[in-house]
Each structure stands twice: as structure tokens, then as C-alpha cells.
Amino acid sequence: MDNNNKHLSHSHHNHGDMDHSKHEHISTEEHGDHKDQHHDHHAGHDHSGHSGHDHSGHSGHDHSGHSGHDHHHHGNFKELFLKSLPLGIIIMLLSPMAGFDLPFQFTFPYSDIVVAILSTILIIYGGRPFYQGAVDEFKQKEPGMMALVSLGLSVSYLYSIYTVIASYVTGEQIMDFFFEFASLLLIMLLGHWIEMKAIGEAGDAQEELAKLVPKDAHVVLDDDSIETRPVADLKVGDLIRVQAGENVPADGTIERGESRVNEALLTGESKAVKKGPGDEVIGGSTNGEGVLYIKVNETGDQSFISQVQNLISQAQSQPSRAENIAQKVAGWLFYIAVIVALIAFVVWTLIADIPTAVKFAITTLVIACPHALGLAIPLVTARSTSLGASRGLLVKDRQALEIAQDADVMILDKTGTLTTGEFKVLDVELFNNKYKKEEIIALLAGIEGGSSHPIAQSIISFAKQQGISPVSFDSIDVISGAGVEGKAKGHNYQLISQKAYGRNLDIDIPKGATLSVLVENDDAIGAVALGDELKPTSKELINVLKKNNIEPIMATGDNEKAAQGAAEDLGIEYRSNQSPQDKYELVKALKEEGKKVIMVGDGVNDAPSLALADVGIAVGAGTQVALDSADVILTQSDPGDIESFIELAHKTTRKMKQNLFWGAGYNFIAIPLAAGILAPIGITLSPALGAILMSVSTVIVAINAILLSLDPKNND
């Protein structure tokens, strides 16, 4: 999260290198009245920034989605399975399997009638969710898994009831399929219970987030007394007190107090972040050692946690390309299975007898049940979504993962994405033997004393890190458009821009750095080079992109010199002085060339280009995120998270393909086998074995999905 928002009011100093335009919407709203007039001199550094916000979102993403698991709302599968189990076991003990008497089975006079009655109870109670699911599938004109299961259950049950009636009418014993019917039903209920458990675990990400928000908040009243109120009753503008160790009840801005706040579960940032007056905090984050007084900015549905929960549920309910394929394959399997079962029935009736024909027809229907296929994609998706959320990657549009896998180009913003967005002292130069380096640093810190401008602050903190005390100045005045001047120990000093100094300095400064010259009696005695540093993970990200054949292009509002410096350090192509419109045109041009484009940018400033790109990634979004414009939101500004997203995209897509193969592939071998194609050489499958094989493929698919993981993240 950006913690330097409190300095953003100084964007009028116009440091182009800092590309602050993207944050100006925060500064004008929150800090507009606190302009620091003291430091006009930085305007003299001549770095054109860029402004211009396009706040337009886009409505191009319809997140209505539909759940591939509508049928799972029919009953609690755990309860159904546990209550059906005793009935099923009794049926299997009293009824021979495929006509064979097994050692554990026993019969008694009229035991077949007992079995028929118990089977009727079992199909009405345990079979209900499958029949309700089948009705839903036929209503949607998409017969699939539930239709197949229902068909297998119906055929085995009805034929078995017929055999019982026929044996009493004709006195002839006909083989029934009660054993197969009961074992199929129990295995299907168990499979669904396992599936629901896995999907439930993946959905826990939302519940975990909900648990972070405390039930009550301590509201500070006008007379400074404290009233405890339910969080639901909080209003925007309320002042709340958060004690050390408590979770923050709502999104807000710190009014008083300082502390370290842990946002790990929300943003993936593992280290507690130091926060003080003016900084924003997210509801659900944990307060460290200090007491904080927070003014509430957002409550309820508008809060960051609610938005994240909505994103997770949207992502999980949205069908991806792979899931659509799975749905289609399930439909084809239904028709293939019914046709093959009918052919098997006719052929085996002609070459054997009706009981044999029924056995092969039922086995075909049972084994074709695309249960693993129905699970294949949702389980991977659920796992992928919660894995991403734990890393601060919020995947809003699930297709983004599949598209990112084939991306050709990634357009990256510079400031705050590839660089820290904060000025740092890169180098201090000496031009005069009279002064030591430490003395120059002490003078620089002294002349900048009292200014809260980020550049001044970076010089002061640099001196502090070196253990150098600033020189005490008697007076400091602003030189309009050039810098500052001041008196110390009877000497006059100036700190001015290189342009204001006007003479050539023979020094080698880092590319893209800003140079301020320290002058005494018209002569340069020292200079300080300030720059926006690359983040430690930026180079690694560029290497990962190149390894994945994704061409990185840096597009920044910064001037040519600053842009060139960063781009050369990273070894990538760049575009400088880019307005939001220019970035939009760049995305458009690349797409017209037939390239798949990932755009990484600020959620607000870059909204149009994020929306236009094949995959839009909003970075460092936090509470300010423009939720409409991006497909993926990275809650931190760490380039390493973009790397994690690319890794997640590749691994998720690979798991989906593997699961589609397991879920559908085995059917194309098993269906002909179940229909008895190898019976002439003695290889056949019983319906119960068919149900077991089908369940094994389901378990393989579930385990494969659970094994999806990301490489450990290096938090240096």
C-alpha cells in the first residue's frame, strides 16, 4: 500500500520524475488546503509531470456468471450419505452382485421383497438430489452429469423391481441389479460430499475475511466519552478508537495516534506497516502497539473487505473458458452414453439375454457419468482464487488467468510499479577540497530543514541514516523558480537546480536523476543526485516476462530522461511523456497488430487502457482501487506480485487441462469397455466397478486441484 499519501499535496512542485499525477485525486480531496509554500525552489528542477485523469470505468465485463453447481444446492450430501449408508449396506448384503452370491451375502424367504421396499425408500431419499439436478439440466436444455446418474439409477432400480414381480408371477428367477443400484447411489453421494467439502474449503477465503472485522466498534463521542456500537451501525464520519492488538472495524483515516498496522490477510504484505495521522487504514487489519483514533470513510458494502468478498464470489461463480468446455463435453457424454447403452442393450439382447443386456447398458450409463468432469474446473478455480487472494492477487475475471497464459506484450507503468515512487539520495558529489562529504551532507540537510516536501525529506532522512546532524541555519529563503538560500556560520549558501546554476558540471550522475547544486559564493561546492529507485523485484519481473515470451514495454508520464534511465537499467523498451490517452492508443495499436496485451497500471488514472487491454491489472490499488477497470487487482505495488500472477495463470491453466483430461479422457476408454466390447475375450466391467472407477477419477481430479500451489514469495 502507498503510505506516502500524506505528502501528495505537494504535487504542485511538479517533479516529473515522480509521476504523481496518478495520486492527485487523493491529494486534492484530502490535503488540498495544506499547501507548503516554503519550497517553491523545487519547481526549478524542470521536470514536466503529467496530469489528466480519466475516471471513466467501463461496463465491458458482465459478471453475472452462472454457477456450474446449481444442482449442489439440493440437500446436504454428508447427511444424505450417512443416512443412506445403513439402508444401502442392508440392500447389498441381501442382494447378489451381478448374479453372484458373495460370501458375506445371505437371503431368506421374501428377502427380495424386503430389498425392493428398502430400495424404493433409498431412491426416494438418497436419489432426490440427482433427480432434482437432472430436472434442472433438462430445463436448461443441457443434460449432463445429473441426467446420467439419474438414468443409471432409474434403469437399475426399475429393471430390478420388474425382476422381483416377474419371479413371483412366472416362478422363474431373473437376475436383479439391487446391489449395483445401492452401491452406485452410495458412491455418488460420497463423491458429492467430498466435492462439496473441497468447494466449501475454497470458499473459506470469504469467511476468513468476514471474521477479520470485529463485531463492535468503540465510537468517540463529542464529550470524548466512548460508546460501544455494533459495526453495522457505524456511519461515515464517525471517530472510532482502536486499542493495541484490536482489529480495525472499518476503512478510515487516522486522525490521532501512531502504530504499526498488519494488513497481511488483506493485501498479502507480510510486514506490519507504520501508520500515523493522515494515513489510511483498512477495516479488518490488525493494530499493533499504539492506540489509534480513526475517522470512518467507508462502511458496509463500500468497504474494502466487502469489495474483496464480492470479487472472490464473482470470480468463483463465473464460468471460465475451460469450464464451458467441460459443460459441453458433459453434454456430449450424455448423448454418447445413451446411444452406446442402447446399442449395447440391443446387441447383447440378440447375442445373449435381457439381464446381460441390462447389465451392460447400466454399466455404460454409470461409467459415463462425467462426475470428475463436473468437478475438474470448479475445484481448480476455487483453489486458484483463494491461493491468489492469500497473496493479495484478486482475480476479478477468471478468464484473465487463461488469457494471460498466451499474452504477447505487457505494458507497465513506471512510478510506483517498477520504481518506489519515492525520491532517494542516489549520490552526493564534492567540488571543493575545503569540505568533507559529511559536511556537505550536514549543509544539505540543514538548508532543507523545515520543509515537508518529499525531496527535502529524502535529504534529511539520508543525513539521519548516516548519523550526520544538520547544520543549523540562521535564515532560509526561497529563490523563486530556482531553489533556496540561507545563512549559516556567517556563510551564504544556495541549493539550486542544475538549470538555475547554469554552468556545466563535469560529473557522472545516475541516469534519470535530478541534480541539486549546493553553492557558496557563486561556486559549486557539492551536489546531490536524487532519483526514483527501481524496486528490488523489478529486474526479476522483467526476466520472468522475457522467459515467458512476454515483451515488456514501460509507458510512463515521466520525461524522456527519467524514463530512459529506468528503461536502460531494466533493458526494456519504453515510451515517455505518456498521457492516459496515449497509453490507451498504445494498447489499441498493439491489439490491432493482433497481439494479446496485458496492461499494468493505476486503477484510476489508467482505467481506459486497463479496460481495453486483454487483461487489465490494477496495481497498488488498496482502498482507492477503480474496481471497474481491471480484471485483476494487486493490492500491493510489488512487481513480484505481477510475477506471481503470471505463475498463477500458467499453473491454473495447466491444472485445468490435466483435469479435463482426467475428467473426460478416461470416459472414451471406459464407455466401450463398459458396453462389453472386450467381453468376447473375457474383459467386462460390472456397474459397481464402473461406479468405483468413476469415483477414482473424481478423487484424482480433486487431489490434482488441491496440489495447485505457488512458489514461496521472497520478502527481502
Side-chain angles (χ1 to χ4, degrees), residues 290-318:
V291 178
L292 294 176
Y293 288 84
I294 296 163
K295 190 173 182 184
V296 176
N297 294 344
E298 302 286 1
T299 58
D301 294 345
Q302 296 307 306
S303 70
F304 181 64
I305 280 198
S306 289
Q307 291 174 335
V308 172
Q309 285 176 306
N310 288 340
L311 287 178
I312 293 172
S313 59
Q314 270 179 17
Q316 288 183 337
S317 66
Q318 239 179 20

Side-chain angles (χ1 to χ4, degrees), residues 595-704:
K595 293 188 171 167
K596 275 211 164 65
V597 181
I598 300 177
M599 169 75 194
V600 181
D602 173 76
V604 177
N605 206 31
D606 299 323
S609 26
L610 286 169
L612 179 66
D614 295 291
V615 177
I617 302 179
V619 175
T623 48
Q624 301 294 334
V625 66
L627 288 166
D628 286 343
S629 55
D631 306 303
V632 181
I633 292 155
L634 308 186
T635 57
Q636 296 178 79
S637 311
D638 182 6
D641 289 346
I642 303 169
E643 205 180 307
S644 293
F645 169 71
I646 298 291
E647 184 194 344
L648 189 67
H650 278 270
K651 287 186 171 176
T652 301
T653 311
R654 189 161 68 234
K655 286 283 183 202
M656 283 178 173
K657 285 176 182 167
Q658 287 168 357
N659 273 6
L660 278 177
F661 171 78
W662 278 109
Y666 96 106
N667 278 296
F668 294 106
I669 299 162
I671 288 175
L673 207 58
I677 200 163
L678 296 181
I681 58 167
I683 298 172
T684 60
L685 290 175
S686 71
L689 189 60
I692 289 165
L693 276 178
M694 185 201 63
S695 291
V696 167
S697 76
T698 303
V699 170
I700 289 170
V701 158
I703 290 170
N704 191 38

Side-chain angles (χ1 to χ4, degrees), residues 58-333:
H58 75 303
S59 51
H61 298 290
D62 178 8
H63 296 301
S64 52
H66 73 272
S67 167
H69 288 273
D70 294 340
H71 50 266
H72 295 145
H73 303 310
H74 304 303
N76 177 333
F77 284 102
K78 178 182 177 180
E79 191 183 321
L80 281 170
F81 171 74
L82 294 175
K83 287 185 177 170
S84 302
L85 188 61
L87 274 181
I89 288 171
I90 295 167
I91 293 166
M92 286 155 70
L93 289 174
L94 296 178
S95 141
M97 181 180 100
F100 299 110
D101 285 318
L102 297 174
F104 57 78
Q105 287 169 327
F106 63 92
T107 54
F108 50 83
Y110 303 111
S111 63
D112 50 356
I113 290 177
V114 173
V115 168
I117 292 166
L118 292 177
S119 296
T120 305
I121 296 168
L122 188 60
I123 199 166
I124 291 168
Y125 177 71
R128 190 180 70 240
F130 301 111
Y131 287 103
Q132 287 174 326
V135 169
D136 289 349
E137 287 180 353
F138 281 114
K139 272 186 191 161
Q140 290 167 7
K141 300 194 172 109
E142 285 181 0
M145 179 167 50
M146 293 311 210
L148 270 176
V149 178
S150 305
L151 202 54
L153 291 173
S154 304
V155 172
S156 54
Y157 168 76
L158 292 170
Y159 181 77
S160 300
I161 294 290
Y162 157 75
T163 63
V164 173
I165 296 166
S167 66
Y168 284 96
V169 173
T170 63
E172 188 189 332
Q173 278 305 109
I174 311 171
M175 184 178 77
D176 63 57
F177 291 106
F178 284 123
F179 183 97
E180 287 76 7
F181 157 76
S183 59
L184 169 63
L185 187 66
L186 290 178
I187 287 165
M188 292 308 299
L189 286 172
L190 179 63
H192 274 74
W193 173 21
I194 293 167
E195 173 187 352
M196 288 294 95
K197 201 165 178 295
I199 285 174
E201 279 167 11
D204 284 346
Q206 286 162 278
E207 282 174 41
E208 286 305 311
L209 284 172
K211 283 182 205 160
L212 294 176
V213 178
K215 301 266 183 294
D216 297 311
H218 310 302
V219 181
V220 182
L221 303 177
D222 292 342
D223 61 358
D224 272 352
S225 63
I226 302 288
E227 178 183 285
T228 301
R229 260 185 231 164
V231 167
D233 296 346
L234 282 179
K235 294 182 185 65
V236 173
D238 279 348
L239 185 67
I240 50 177
R241 185 182 73 187
V242 183
Q243 302 283 75
E246 287 183 341
N247 279 14
V248 177
D251 296 358
T253 307
I254 297 172
E255 294 276 307
R256 309 201 295 275
E258 285 192 356
S259 184
R260 286 191 170 274
V261 178
N262 188 333
E263 298 172 339
L265 280 158
L266 302 164
T267 65
E269 169 58 72
S270 59
K271 301 179 190 77
V273 183
K274 198 166 182 194
K275 303 250 180 182
D279 287 334
E280 294 187 350
V281 283
I282 299 172
S285 53
T286 308
N287 182 21
E289 69 286 348
V291 178
L292 294 176
Y293 288 84
I294 296 163
K295 190 173 182 184
V296 176
N297 294 344
E298 302 286 1
T299 58
D301 294 345
Q302 296 307 306
S303 70
F304 181 64
I305 280 198
S306 289
Q307 291 174 335
V308 172
Q309 285 176 306
N310 288 340
L311 287 178
I312 293 172
S313 59
Q314 270 179 17
Q316 288 183 337
S317 66
Q318 239 179 20
S320 61
R321 290 189 297 186
E323 197 164 354
N324 289 333
I325 293 169
Q327 285 289 104
K328 280 188 187 134
V329 173
W332 297 336
L333 278 173

Side-chain angles (χ1 to χ4, degrees), residues 418-580:
L418 292 169
T419 65
T420 59
E422 295 166 18
F423 268 75
K424 286 227 166 69
V425 173
L426 303 180
D427 196 11
V428 175
E429 293 280 346
L430 302 181
F431 300 122
N432 192 312
N433 300 333
K434 202 167 69 173
Y435 290 96
K436 293 198 189 87
K437 194 169 184 176
E438 290 77 11
E439 291 172 315
I440 294 291
I441 295 168
L443 284 166
L444 288 168
I447 203 165
E448 288 284 34
S451 169
S452 60
H453 188 278
I455 283 190
Q457 286 300 311
S458 62
I459 291 174
I460 293 162
S461 63
F462 176 73
K464 201 182 283 178
Q465 282 162 16
Q466 307 278 321
I468 297 169
S469 303
V471 169
S472 179
F473 273 71
D474 304 325
S475 65
I476 299 172
D477 296 304
V478 174
I479 309 168
S480 183
V484 284
E485 62 182 349
K487 275 189 181 153
K489 297 174 185 169
H491 293 259
N492 286 324
Y493 296 99
Q494 293 177 324
L495 183 62
I496 51 176
S497 66
Q498 192 174 0
K499 186 179 172 187
Y501 181 61
R503 275 168 274 170
N504 196 26
L505 291 166
D506 186 23
I507 54 166
D508 189 19
I509 65 161
K511 283 191 206 83
T514 300
L515 196 72
S516 292
V517 185
L518 185 63
V519 177
E520 182 189 13
N521 303 329
D522 251 7
D523 280 328
I525 56 168
V528 58
L530 295 130
D532 186 6
E533 279 190 319
L534 286 174
K535 288 183 180 169
T537 44
S538 292
K539 282 203 165 111
E540 177 132 352
L541 167 66
I542 300 304
N543 293 338
V544 168
L545 292 177
K546 288 178 176 173
K547 204 166 75 189
N548 285 301
N549 297 317
I550 300 171
E551 181 197 356
I553 298 175
M554 185 179 84
T556 176
D558 283 359
N559 61 41
E560 173 70 19
K561 197 168 119 190
Q564 184 186 10
E568 283 182 9
D569 276 354
L570 292 168
I572 58 173
E573 207 186 308
Y574 71 96
R575 308 271 193 284
S576 60
N577 296 310
Q578 297 279 293
S579 68

